[in-house]
Short mmCIF file of all heavy atoms in Angstrom, two decimals:
data_model
loop_
_atom_site.label_atom_id
_atom_site.label_comp_id
_atom_site.label_asym_id
_atom_site.label_seq_id
_atom_site.Cartn_x
_atom_site.Cartn_y
_atom_site.Cartn_z
N PHE A 880 -50.67 -18.58 -9.77
CA PHE A 880 -51.49 -18.86 -8.63
C PHE A 880 -52.93 -18.91 -9.06
O PHE A 880 -53.51 -17.85 -9.27
CB PHE A 880 -51.29 -17.88 -7.54
CG PHE A 880 -49.93 -17.83 -6.93
CD1 PHE A 880 -48.91 -17.08 -7.56
CD2 PHE A 880 -49.56 -18.55 -5.85
CE1 PHE A 880 -47.65 -17.00 -7.01
CE2 PHE A 880 -48.34 -18.51 -5.28
CZ PHE A 880 -47.30 -17.78 -5.89
N PRO A 881 -53.55 -20.08 -9.28
CA PRO A 881 -54.92 -20.14 -9.73
C PRO A 881 -55.88 -19.62 -8.63
O PRO A 881 -55.61 -19.67 -7.45
CB PRO A 881 -55.16 -21.67 -9.96
CG PRO A 881 -53.83 -22.26 -10.01
CD PRO A 881 -52.99 -21.42 -9.15
N HIS A 882 -56.98 -19.17 -9.05
CA HIS A 882 -58.06 -18.63 -8.19
C HIS A 882 -58.56 -19.78 -7.34
O HIS A 882 -58.87 -20.81 -7.85
CB HIS A 882 -59.14 -17.98 -9.01
CG HIS A 882 -60.31 -17.49 -8.20
ND1 HIS A 882 -60.14 -16.82 -6.96
CD2 HIS A 882 -61.67 -17.76 -8.33
CE1 HIS A 882 -61.35 -16.54 -6.48
NE2 HIS A 882 -62.25 -17.14 -7.28
N GLN A 883 -58.74 -19.52 -6.01
CA GLN A 883 -59.27 -20.49 -5.00
C GLN A 883 -58.33 -21.66 -4.87
O GLN A 883 -58.71 -22.63 -4.17
CB GLN A 883 -60.69 -20.95 -5.41
CG GLN A 883 -61.67 -19.83 -5.43
CD GLN A 883 -63.08 -20.36 -5.81
OE1 GLN A 883 -63.23 -21.51 -6.23
NE2 GLN A 883 -64.07 -19.48 -5.67
N ARG A 884 -57.20 -21.73 -5.50
CA ARG A 884 -56.24 -22.85 -5.27
C ARG A 884 -54.88 -22.23 -5.25
O ARG A 884 -53.95 -22.64 -5.90
CB ARG A 884 -56.31 -23.83 -6.45
CG ARG A 884 -57.68 -24.60 -6.39
CD ARG A 884 -57.74 -25.66 -7.52
NE ARG A 884 -57.86 -25.08 -8.85
CZ ARG A 884 -56.87 -25.16 -9.76
NH1 ARG A 884 -55.77 -25.79 -9.49
NH2 ARG A 884 -57.07 -24.63 -10.94
N LYS A 885 -54.72 -21.22 -4.35
CA LYS A 885 -53.40 -20.50 -4.31
C LYS A 885 -52.27 -21.35 -3.76
O LYS A 885 -51.13 -21.14 -4.00
CB LYS A 885 -53.56 -19.23 -3.45
CG LYS A 885 -54.55 -18.21 -4.02
CD LYS A 885 -54.04 -17.73 -5.34
CE LYS A 885 -55.02 -16.75 -6.05
NZ LYS A 885 -55.12 -15.53 -5.36
N GLU A 886 -52.69 -22.34 -2.90
CA GLU A 886 -51.62 -23.22 -2.36
C GLU A 886 -51.13 -24.19 -3.45
O GLU A 886 -50.05 -24.83 -3.22
CB GLU A 886 -52.21 -24.06 -1.15
CG GLU A 886 -53.25 -25.04 -1.54
CD GLU A 886 -54.63 -24.46 -1.71
OE1 GLU A 886 -54.78 -23.19 -1.55
OE2 GLU A 886 -55.57 -25.21 -2.01
N GLN A 887 -51.82 -24.27 -4.61
CA GLN A 887 -51.37 -25.21 -5.64
C GLN A 887 -50.75 -24.35 -6.79
O GLN A 887 -51.14 -24.47 -7.91
CB GLN A 887 -52.55 -26.04 -6.16
CG GLN A 887 -53.19 -26.88 -5.15
CD GLN A 887 -54.41 -27.64 -5.69
OE1 GLN A 887 -54.70 -27.59 -6.87
NE2 GLN A 887 -55.11 -28.36 -4.74
N SER A 888 -49.82 -23.56 -6.46
CA SER A 888 -49.15 -22.76 -7.44
C SER A 888 -48.30 -23.62 -8.44
O SER A 888 -47.77 -24.69 -8.03
CB SER A 888 -48.24 -21.73 -6.76
OG SER A 888 -47.27 -22.42 -5.99
N VAL A 889 -48.22 -23.16 -9.63
CA VAL A 889 -47.58 -23.95 -10.67
C VAL A 889 -46.40 -23.14 -11.25
O VAL A 889 -46.56 -21.94 -11.49
CB VAL A 889 -48.55 -24.31 -11.87
CG1 VAL A 889 -47.88 -25.20 -12.85
CG2 VAL A 889 -49.82 -25.01 -11.26
N LYS A 890 -45.30 -23.75 -11.47
CA LYS A 890 -44.12 -23.11 -11.99
C LYS A 890 -44.07 -23.25 -13.49
O LYS A 890 -44.29 -24.35 -14.00
CB LYS A 890 -42.89 -23.66 -11.36
CG LYS A 890 -41.56 -22.98 -11.76
CD LYS A 890 -40.37 -23.61 -11.07
CE LYS A 890 -39.08 -22.96 -11.55
NZ LYS A 890 -37.92 -23.59 -10.92
N PHE A 891 -43.71 -22.18 -14.14
CA PHE A 891 -43.60 -22.23 -15.63
C PHE A 891 -42.35 -23.08 -15.99
O PHE A 891 -41.26 -22.89 -15.39
CB PHE A 891 -43.39 -20.85 -16.18
CG PHE A 891 -43.32 -20.75 -17.63
CD1 PHE A 891 -44.52 -20.84 -18.43
CD2 PHE A 891 -42.11 -20.66 -18.37
CE1 PHE A 891 -44.47 -20.78 -19.82
CE2 PHE A 891 -42.06 -20.64 -19.72
CZ PHE A 891 -43.21 -20.65 -20.43
N PRO A 892 -42.53 -24.04 -16.90
CA PRO A 892 -41.43 -24.98 -17.22
C PRO A 892 -40.20 -24.20 -17.71
O PRO A 892 -40.28 -23.26 -18.53
CB PRO A 892 -42.03 -25.91 -18.29
CG PRO A 892 -43.47 -25.79 -18.16
CD PRO A 892 -43.74 -24.35 -17.69
N GLU A 893 -39.05 -24.64 -17.19
CA GLU A 893 -37.80 -23.95 -17.61
C GLU A 893 -37.36 -24.31 -18.98
O GLU A 893 -36.57 -23.53 -19.60
CB GLU A 893 -36.69 -24.33 -16.60
CG GLU A 893 -36.97 -23.81 -15.20
CD GLU A 893 -35.81 -24.10 -14.20
OE1 GLU A 893 -34.85 -24.77 -14.70
OE2 GLU A 893 -35.89 -23.70 -13.04
N ASP A 894 -37.78 -25.47 -19.51
CA ASP A 894 -37.35 -25.89 -20.83
C ASP A 894 -38.21 -25.20 -21.95
O ASP A 894 -37.98 -25.46 -23.13
CB ASP A 894 -37.38 -27.37 -20.99
CG ASP A 894 -38.78 -27.93 -20.58
OD1 ASP A 894 -39.61 -27.17 -20.00
OD2 ASP A 894 -38.97 -29.16 -20.84
N PHE A 895 -39.24 -24.46 -21.57
CA PHE A 895 -40.06 -23.72 -22.50
C PHE A 895 -39.52 -22.29 -22.70
O PHE A 895 -39.03 -21.69 -21.76
CB PHE A 895 -41.50 -23.69 -22.09
CG PHE A 895 -42.25 -24.96 -22.39
CD1 PHE A 895 -41.63 -26.20 -22.40
CD2 PHE A 895 -43.67 -24.88 -22.56
CE1 PHE A 895 -42.29 -27.36 -22.65
CE2 PHE A 895 -44.36 -26.07 -22.79
CZ PHE A 895 -43.72 -27.32 -22.81
N ALA A 896 -39.58 -21.82 -23.95
CA ALA A 896 -39.18 -20.44 -24.18
C ALA A 896 -40.23 -19.47 -23.58
O ALA A 896 -41.41 -19.65 -23.64
CB ALA A 896 -39.03 -20.19 -25.68
N VAL A 897 -39.73 -18.42 -23.01
CA VAL A 897 -40.60 -17.42 -22.36
C VAL A 897 -41.06 -16.44 -23.44
O VAL A 897 -40.35 -15.47 -23.74
CB VAL A 897 -39.93 -16.68 -21.22
CG1 VAL A 897 -40.86 -15.72 -20.53
CG2 VAL A 897 -39.36 -17.65 -20.23
N ASN A 898 -42.21 -16.74 -24.02
CA ASN A 898 -42.80 -15.86 -25.07
C ASN A 898 -44.28 -15.77 -24.82
O ASN A 898 -44.87 -16.45 -23.98
CB ASN A 898 -42.45 -16.27 -26.44
CG ASN A 898 -42.75 -17.73 -26.67
OD1 ASN A 898 -43.79 -18.22 -26.23
ND2 ASN A 898 -41.94 -18.43 -27.45
N LEU A 899 -44.92 -14.92 -25.56
CA LEU A 899 -46.33 -14.64 -25.38
C LEU A 899 -47.21 -15.89 -25.63
O LEU A 899 -48.06 -16.21 -24.77
CB LEU A 899 -46.83 -13.50 -26.24
CG LEU A 899 -48.20 -12.94 -25.92
CD1 LEU A 899 -48.29 -12.45 -24.50
CD2 LEU A 899 -48.50 -11.80 -26.92
N PRO A 900 -47.06 -16.59 -26.68
CA PRO A 900 -47.89 -17.80 -26.90
C PRO A 900 -47.75 -18.87 -25.84
O PRO A 900 -48.77 -19.44 -25.33
CB PRO A 900 -47.43 -18.36 -28.28
CG PRO A 900 -46.86 -17.13 -28.94
CD PRO A 900 -46.19 -16.35 -27.91
N ASN A 901 -46.51 -19.12 -25.46
CA ASN A 901 -46.28 -20.13 -24.40
C ASN A 901 -46.91 -19.74 -23.04
O ASN A 901 -47.49 -20.55 -22.32
CB ASN A 901 -44.81 -20.41 -24.25
CG ASN A 901 -44.21 -21.20 -25.39
OD1 ASN A 901 -44.97 -21.81 -26.20
ND2 ASN A 901 -42.91 -21.14 -25.55
N LEU A 902 -46.73 -18.43 -22.71
CA LEU A 902 -47.31 -17.98 -21.48
C LEU A 902 -48.90 -18.10 -21.50
O LEU A 902 -49.55 -18.41 -20.52
CB LEU A 902 -46.91 -16.54 -21.19
CG LEU A 902 -45.45 -16.37 -20.73
CD1 LEU A 902 -45.14 -14.87 -20.64
CD2 LEU A 902 -45.21 -17.06 -19.40
N LEU A 903 -49.43 -17.75 -22.62
CA LEU A 903 -50.94 -17.84 -22.76
C LEU A 903 -51.41 -19.28 -22.63
O LEU A 903 -52.44 -19.58 -21.96
CB LEU A 903 -51.45 -17.27 -24.04
CG LEU A 903 -51.49 -15.69 -24.15
CD1 LEU A 903 -51.75 -15.25 -25.55
CD2 LEU A 903 -52.49 -15.13 -23.15
N LYS A 904 -50.72 -20.19 -23.30
CA LYS A 904 -51.10 -21.60 -23.18
C LYS A 904 -50.93 -22.13 -21.78
O LYS A 904 -51.81 -22.86 -21.21
CB LYS A 904 -50.22 -22.46 -24.11
CG LYS A 904 -50.49 -22.17 -25.58
CD LYS A 904 -49.53 -23.00 -26.42
CE LYS A 904 -49.78 -22.71 -27.94
NZ LYS A 904 -48.79 -23.47 -28.72
N PHE A 905 -49.84 -21.68 -21.05
CA PHE A 905 -49.58 -22.13 -19.70
C PHE A 905 -50.72 -21.61 -18.76
O PHE A 905 -51.17 -22.28 -17.90
CB PHE A 905 -48.22 -21.56 -19.27
CG PHE A 905 -47.93 -21.74 -17.85
CD1 PHE A 905 -47.59 -23.02 -17.29
CD2 PHE A 905 -47.88 -20.64 -16.97
CE1 PHE A 905 -47.36 -23.19 -15.90
CE2 PHE A 905 -47.64 -20.82 -15.66
CZ PHE A 905 -47.35 -22.10 -15.10
N ILE A 906 -51.14 -20.32 -18.94
CA ILE A 906 -52.17 -19.74 -18.07
C ILE A 906 -53.46 -20.41 -18.32
O ILE A 906 -54.23 -20.74 -17.42
CB ILE A 906 -52.18 -18.20 -18.27
CG1 ILE A 906 -50.92 -17.53 -17.79
CG2 ILE A 906 -53.39 -17.59 -17.54
CD1 ILE A 906 -50.77 -16.10 -18.12
N LEU A 907 -53.88 -20.57 -19.56
CA LEU A 907 -55.18 -21.16 -19.90
C LEU A 907 -55.28 -22.58 -19.50
O LEU A 907 -56.32 -23.10 -19.10
CB LEU A 907 -55.48 -21.01 -21.38
CG LEU A 907 -55.61 -19.58 -21.93
CD1 LEU A 907 -55.79 -19.52 -23.40
CD2 LEU A 907 -56.78 -18.88 -21.23
N HIS A 908 -54.14 -23.26 -19.49
CA HIS A 908 -54.13 -24.65 -19.07
C HIS A 908 -54.38 -24.82 -17.60
O HIS A 908 -55.08 -25.72 -17.13
CB HIS A 908 -52.82 -25.36 -19.50
CG HIS A 908 -52.72 -26.80 -19.07
ND1 HIS A 908 -53.50 -27.78 -19.65
CD2 HIS A 908 -51.97 -27.38 -18.09
CE1 HIS A 908 -53.21 -28.94 -19.07
NE2 HIS A 908 -52.31 -28.76 -18.15
N HIS A 909 -53.83 -23.92 -16.73
CA HIS A 909 -53.89 -24.02 -15.33
C HIS A 909 -54.86 -23.00 -14.73
O HIS A 909 -55.00 -22.98 -13.52
CB HIS A 909 -52.47 -23.80 -14.70
CG HIS A 909 -51.49 -24.78 -15.08
ND1 HIS A 909 -51.46 -26.07 -14.54
CD2 HIS A 909 -50.46 -24.70 -15.98
CE1 HIS A 909 -50.42 -26.73 -15.13
NE2 HIS A 909 -49.81 -25.90 -15.96
N SER A 910 -55.61 -22.29 -15.55
CA SER A 910 -56.51 -21.30 -15.05
C SER A 910 -57.71 -21.96 -14.46
O SER A 910 -58.26 -22.96 -14.96
CB SER A 910 -56.85 -20.25 -16.08
OG SER A 910 -57.83 -19.36 -15.63
N SER A 911 -58.34 -21.27 -13.41
CA SER A 911 -59.52 -21.76 -12.73
C SER A 911 -60.68 -21.46 -13.64
O SER A 911 -61.79 -21.92 -13.36
CB SER A 911 -59.66 -21.24 -11.35
OG SER A 911 -59.72 -19.78 -11.44
N LEU A 912 -60.60 -20.65 -14.68
CA LEU A 912 -61.72 -20.36 -15.57
C LEU A 912 -62.10 -21.59 -16.36
O LEU A 912 -63.27 -21.69 -16.84
CB LEU A 912 -61.34 -19.17 -16.50
CG LEU A 912 -61.24 -17.81 -15.81
CD1 LEU A 912 -60.85 -16.74 -16.87
CD2 LEU A 912 -62.56 -17.41 -15.12
N SER A 913 -61.17 -22.40 -16.62
CA SER A 913 -61.49 -23.65 -17.41
C SER A 913 -62.14 -24.69 -16.48
O SER A 913 -61.51 -25.73 -16.15
CB SER A 913 -60.18 -24.18 -18.05
OG SER A 913 -59.25 -24.50 -17.01
N SER A 914 -63.32 -24.36 -16.09
CA SER A 914 -64.09 -25.29 -15.13
C SER A 914 -65.11 -26.10 -15.93
O SER A 914 -65.63 -25.67 -16.93
CB SER A 914 -64.76 -24.42 -14.04
OG SER A 914 -65.49 -25.23 -13.20
N SER A 915 -65.40 -27.26 -15.38
CA SER A 915 -66.38 -28.14 -15.97
C SER A 915 -67.77 -27.88 -15.52
O SER A 915 -68.70 -28.59 -15.96
CB SER A 915 -65.99 -29.62 -15.72
OG SER A 915 -65.99 -29.79 -14.29
N GLU A 916 -68.06 -26.86 -14.69
CA GLU A 916 -69.39 -26.61 -14.21
C GLU A 916 -70.18 -25.92 -15.30
O GLU A 916 -69.60 -25.26 -16.13
CB GLU A 916 -69.29 -25.62 -12.97
CG GLU A 916 -68.53 -26.26 -11.81
CD GLU A 916 -68.43 -25.31 -10.60
OE1 GLU A 916 -69.01 -24.16 -10.80
OE2 GLU A 916 -67.93 -25.69 -9.59
N PRO A 917 -71.49 -26.12 -15.34
CA PRO A 917 -72.34 -25.57 -16.42
C PRO A 917 -72.37 -24.04 -16.23
O PRO A 917 -72.44 -23.53 -15.07
CB PRO A 917 -73.70 -26.15 -16.17
CG PRO A 917 -73.72 -26.63 -14.72
CD PRO A 917 -72.29 -27.01 -14.41
#
Side-chain angles (χ1 to χ4, degrees):
F880 296 86
H882 174 48
Q883 296 180 352
R884 292 183 290 114
K885 296 298 177 67
E886 69 279 359
Q887 299 178 6
S888 60
V889 185
K890 182 180 178 181
F891 184 80
E893 295 182 358
D894 53 348
F895 280 28
V897 183
N898 52 39
L899 190 60
N901 289 342
L902 287 174
L903 282 173
K904 293 178 183 177
F905 172 73
I906 292 173
L907 294 176
H908 178 70
H909 298 284
S910 175
S911 59
L912 291 178
S913 59
S914 176
S915 60
E916 297 179 359

